[in-house]
Amino acid sequence: MVSSGGRVPATLESVAAAAGVSRATASRVLTGSPRVSEAARDKVLAAASSLAYVPNAAARSLVTRRSDTVAFVVCEPEEKFFSDPFFATVLKGAHRIVAAHSLQLVFVVVATDEDRDQLERFAAGGHLDAAMFVSLHGSEDMPARLDALGLPVVMAGRSLDPGAAGLPVVDVDNAQGAGVATRRLVERGCRRIGTISGPTDMAGSMDRLDGWREAMAAAGRTPHEDDVVTGDYTVEGGHEAMVTLLDRGPEVDGVFCANDLMAAGALRAIADRGLSVPDDVAVVGFDDIPVALATQPPLTTVHQPIEELGRRMAQSLVTSLVAGEPAPQHVRLHTHLVVRGSA
Amino acid sequence: MVSSGGRVPATLESVAAAAGVSRATASRVLTGSPRVSEAARDKVLAAASSLAYVPNAAARSLVTRRSDTVAFVVCEPEEKFFSDPFFATVLKGAHRIVAAHSLQLVFVVVATDEDRDQLERFAAGGHLDAAMFVSLHGSEDMPARLDALGLPVVMAGRSLDPGAAGLPVVDVDNAQGAGVATRRLVERGCRRIGTISGPTDMAGSMDRLDGWREAMAAAGRTPHEDDVVTGDYTVEGGHEAMVTLLDRGPEVDGVFCANDLMAAGALRAIADRGLSVPDDVAVVGFDDIPVALATQPPLTTVHQPIEELGRRMAQSLVTSLVAGEPAPQHVRLHTHLVVRGSA
DNA sequence: CTGTTAGCGCCTTCAC
DNA sequence: GTGAAGGCGCTAACAG
């Protein structure tokens, strides 16, 4: 408490002096080395606390060659991602685990090739000990590039980049989730079931589309290509896509949307047409974010454990960082259907 | 390109050697010092690029005593904040500016006193050059504590902590925005206008409530205390609050909600009652986040420039960090009413 | 304009 | 168990 507004930074040197021991011993105590006597330990600890000692991060990092920093990388060429609560929830989960291990989380956005190079040198410069990736589009190569630098890496969902094959992934069974959603529509008695898919350059989108296709086939349906419209995971995109779907086939009476935001947009398009949900058109979403409760009617949707996704990614990095063990190659989380009013 | 998967970290020393100059000169070139000859500069730059040299952050930080790191601090005792897109949007704006100045953004959540102490020592340890705060509840003292450490600080919205008086703030005129919203309800002909406020321990919530009160008074209305219900900025909270409002006064025909998420919940409660919006009850929200487009009907709401809020906060820190100038004490952004279907 | 000389604060062999 | 000494990679005077 001595130096509250303290202008004196207190170094290991001063702590050692105050404790009447050498710098080496003080260091041993502070890093938790076992080879120190009780007495010395007590004196050092007392001195450190009375001087409000805080180890200098840079100095430590310089010699340990670790930054105790983990990156949360958002690969977002189109910046739509941010308005999706999905993103914040993953971040929250990741932060929780990372903080519990006294690591710091740096937030990085990669949109341009310049950003990519900058991130790579950032990592090469020793700023980073590991990185987790979210919202991977197309053949994003940053996971592979950082992996090549020797950093532990993990991705939320597969990457379409061939170079990323074999890197740790945390995801849910998108195809299965989509299948459950589609089956709900079938069992409800929908005659013509369409789908609004996510961007075609994202693995998860494609898996959900496949899930829809498979479930349709399993139900003996042979969907027309007109019943598939590609969206962009936004409310507006979902609205537009639904308009298209309705224009192409006014008899559509069931729709599986690849995320809740698009489902919310679809709901609005349906209402604009004077149609009612779920009687005229039943709608199922994916994610189960808060907006699913705010729509009219509330959304029937495929729940995925978003926060846990973030936790598991962080856990994966911590495992290979702290424990030094290899990270699990693929963690797959479970989804389940939450039935509300829209289907 | 030589050492792509390079095991050789390349130091300033090696660059200098390769360029045939001293370490000092190499350093001057790399830090952009003017006092270097063309020739030397070229040789150093060539050597650096051919060796894929990346300066070691820790070493530099150790001597410059700057970390080039800015913290984005979320003071969130109740962790509801994350599901609000508001949060992600501020983060996005802040990141943009921070990245443009080659600073890194570390993401910090403060929920417990332990977190507070940890953040303080993190800052004291030289990890941080500045910090911006978001979602300030009650008398959160971290802004003041970091300020006491000598770090530039900025807050999104006022803090109720007396110690934070005088610290830089970026916000909108909440009272005015609430007033515009309320007036809309009055002009629409609503007879009994209620409000769902935000948490009472947040300055912005109280300002919006005041704005409602003032506008009511200006319109010659003397609202009953029953017409004020405190919410928590979540969809569920808004739903509950609306139920209460309707129970207490079924004649309520206008409601100002302190944010869009609560407005979305209110919409649902109204629909559950078999009432229609805006004919039976008109609703105005605050924020203008994407969910405002997803509700049925879409929300009439007070737009605030959320991303700009983040940009301005970052700008404030950059100003006092890079330019060394004092940050603007109070930046106030503008709001405006966006009329959609709900009022 | 450039090289030389000192550390920045800390961890870590290496002897004792 | 403990101290002495060296050096991580870089910048910043200080001379020339």
Side-chain angles (χ1 to χ4, degrees):
Chain A
M1 296 298 140
V2 168
S3 46
S4 334
R7 298 300 87 191
V8 243
T11 78
L12 187 57
E13 179 88 50
S14 60
V15 171
V21 300
S22 75
R23 235 165 54 217
T25 301
S27 174
R28 291 193 186 94
V29 172
L30 271 356
T31 56
S33 158
R35 321 194 146 282
V36 189
S37 68
E38 274 292 314
R41 179 180 310 283
D42 292 347
K43 284 189 298 184
V44 171
L45 257 22
S49 111
S50 108
L51 290 173
Y53 170 72
V54 179
N56 180 295
R60 172 177 297 186
S61 172
L62 183 56
V63 48
T64 61
R65 309 194 146 286
R66 307 196 347 124
S67 61
D68 293 323
T69 294
V70 167
F72 184 95
V73 186
V74 181
C75 301
E76 195 43 43
E78 317 180 39
E79 81 170 48
K80 288 162 190 155
F81 194 51
F82 287 92
S83 50
D84 194 331
F86 177 89
F87 151 74
T89 309
V90 176
L91 176 59
K92 172 181 162 191
H95 181 273
R96 181 194 224 92
I97 300 302
V98 158
H101 290 267
S102 325
L103 298 171
Q104 66 176 297
L105 196 67
V106 327
F107 181 75
V108 181
V109 176
V110 166
T112 67
D113 277 340
E114 195 185 328
D115 291 344
R116 279 176 244 279
D117 290 343
Q118 190 174 318
L119 174 58
E120 187 170 28
R121 22 182 48 233
F122 189 65
H127 278 284
L128 254 39
D129 287 347
M132 64 191 99
F133 293 84
V134 143
S135 190
L136 260 15
H137 285 259
S139 54
E140 174 63 56
D141 63 350
M142 286 318 295
R145 282 164 73 177
L146 294 198
D147 172 65
L149 249 30
L151 301 197
V153 185
V154 63
M155 310 177 289
R158 299 194 339 267
S159 164
L160 260 18
D161 178 40
L167 295 183
V169 169
V170 178
D171 66 3
V172 297
D173 193 329
N174 288 296
Q176 192 204 45
V180 171
T182 307
R183 214 166 310 132
R184 167 84 189 172
L185 262 10
V186 171
E187 285 165 4
R188 223 178 174 291
C190 296
R191 323 291 262 139
R192 181 162 176 181
I193 302 173
T195 185
I196 299 177
S197 79
T200 54
D201 65 348
M202 297 183 79
S205 303
M206 294 298 90
D207 291 343
R208 290 175 199 176
L209 182 54
D210 288 345
W212 173 79
R213 286 219 161 86
E214 285 159 20
M216 290 291 274
R221 311 293 183 87
T222 51
H224 194 278
E225 272 315 304
D226 272 2
D227 296 336
V228 178
V229 178
T230 301
D232 63 357
Y233 283 152
T234 70
V235 174
E236 294 75 23
H239 183 272
E240 261 179 61
M242 191 68 223
V243 167
T244 304
L245 227 35
L246 253 15
D247 283 347
R248 303 218 274 228
E251 339 67 277
V252 167
D253 58 356
V255 182
F256 164 57
C257 301
N259 81 341
D260 288 347
L261 249 27
M262 292 197 297
L267 248 35
R268 194 154 53 83
I270 295 169
D272 288 351
R273 277 287 215 275
L275 266 21
S276 91
V277 175
D279 297 331
D280 296 325
V281 186
V283 175
V284 181
F286 203 111
D287 278 353
D288 193 21
I289 56 176
V291 73
L293 285 171
T295 58
Q296 189 57 33
L299 231 40
T300 288
T301 186
V302 179
H303 173 91
Q304 59 170 331
I306 307 178
E307 190 179 334
E308 188 177 0
L309 186 66
R311 285 200 299 265
R312 291 304 196 86
M313 285 208 293
Q315 197 60 258
S316 166
L317 298 182
V318 167
T319 298
S320 44
L321 226 41
V322 181
E325 293 162 19
Q329 212 274 314
H330 192 160
V331 176
R332 177 149 273 179
L333 306 177
H334 295 295
T335 63
H336 65 264
L337 188 71
V338 176
V339 177
R340 286 195 271 255
S342 71
Chain B
M1 294 300 140
V2 168
S3 46
S4 334
R7 299 300 87 190
V8 245
T11 76
L12 187 58
E13 180 87 50
S14 60
V15 171
V21 301
S22 75
R23 232 165 55 221
T25 300
S27 174
R28 290 192 188 95
V29 173
L30 270 356
T31 55
S33 159
R35 321 192 146 281
V36 188
S37 69
E38 273 292 315
R41 179 180 311 284
D42 292 347
K43 285 189 298 182
V44 171
L45 257 22
S49 110
S50 107
L51 290 173
Y53 171 73
V54 178
N56 179 297
R60 170 177 296 182
S61 172
L62 183 55
V63 46
T64 60
R65 310 194 145 287
R66 305 195 349 121
S67 60
D68 293 325
T69 294
V70 168
F72 184 95
V73 186
V74 181
C75 301
E76 194 43 43
E78 318 181 37
E79 80 170 48
K80 286 163 191 153
F81 194 52
F82 288 92
S83 50
D84 194 332
F86 177 89
F87 151 74
T89 309
V90 176
L91 177 58
K92 173 180 163 193
H95 182 273
R96 181 196 224 92
I97 299 304
V98 158
H101 290 266
S102 326
L103 298 171
Q104 66 176 296
L105 196 66
V106 326
F107 181 75
V108 180
V109 176
V110 167
T112 67
D113 278 339
E114 196 185 326
D115 290 345
R116 278 176 245 279
D117 291 342
Q118 191 174 317
L119 174 57
E120 188 169 27
R121 27 184 41 235
F122 189 65
H127 279 283
L128 255 39
D129 286 348
M132 64 190 98
F133 293 85
V134 143
S135 190
L136 261 14
H137 286 258
S139 53
E140 174 63 57
D141 63 351
M142 286 317 296
R145 282 164 71 177
L146 295 198
D147 171 66
L149 249 30
L151 301 198
V153 180
V154 63
M155 309 176 289
R158 299 195 337 269
S159 164
L160 261 17
D161 178 41
L167 295 184
V169 169
V170 178
D171 65 4
V172 298
D173 193 330
N174 287 296
Q176 191 203 45
V180 171
T182 306
R183 214 166 310 134
R184 167 82 189 172
L185 261 12
V186 169
E187 286 165 2
R188 226 181 171 286
C190 295
R191 324 291 262 137
R192 180 161 177 182
I193 301 173
T195 185
I196 298 178
S197 81
T200 54
D201 65 348
M202 298 182 79
S205 302
M206 294 299 90
D207 291 345
R208 289 175 199 176
L209 182 54
D210 288 345
W212 173 79
R213 285 220 160 85
E214 285 159 19
M216 289 291 275
R221 310 295 182 88
T222 52
H224 193 277
E225 271 315 305
D226 272 1
D227 295 336
V228 179
V229 178
T230 301
D232 63 357
Y233 283 152
T234 70
V235 174
E236 295 75 22
H239 183 271
E240 261 179 60
M242 192 66 222
V243 167
T244 304
L245 227 36
L246 252 14
D247 283 347
R248 303 218 276 226
E251 343 61 280
V252 167
D253 59 356
V255 182
F256 163 58
C257 302
N259 81 339
D260 287 348
L261 248 27
M262 294 196 296
L267 249 35
R268 195 155 51 84
I270 295 168
D272 288 351
R273 277 288 216 274
L275 266 24
S276 91
V277 175
D279 296 332
D280 297 323
V281 187
V283 176
V284 181
F286 202 110
D287 278 353
D288 194 20
I289 56 176
V291 73
L293 285 171
T295 57
Q296 188 55 34
L299 232 39
T300 289
T301 187
V302 179
H303 174 92
Q304 59 170 332
I306 307 179
E307 190 179 335
E308 188 178 0
L309 186 65
R311 285 201 299 265
R312 292 305 196 88
M313 285 208 292
Q315 197 60 258
S316 166
L317 297 183
V318 167
T319 299
S320 43
L321 226 43
V322 181
E325 293 161 19
Q329 212 273 313
H330 192 160
V331 175
R332 177 150 273 178
L333 306 178
H334 294 295
T335 63
H336 64 264
L337 188 71
V338 177
V339 177
R340 287 196 268 255
S342 71

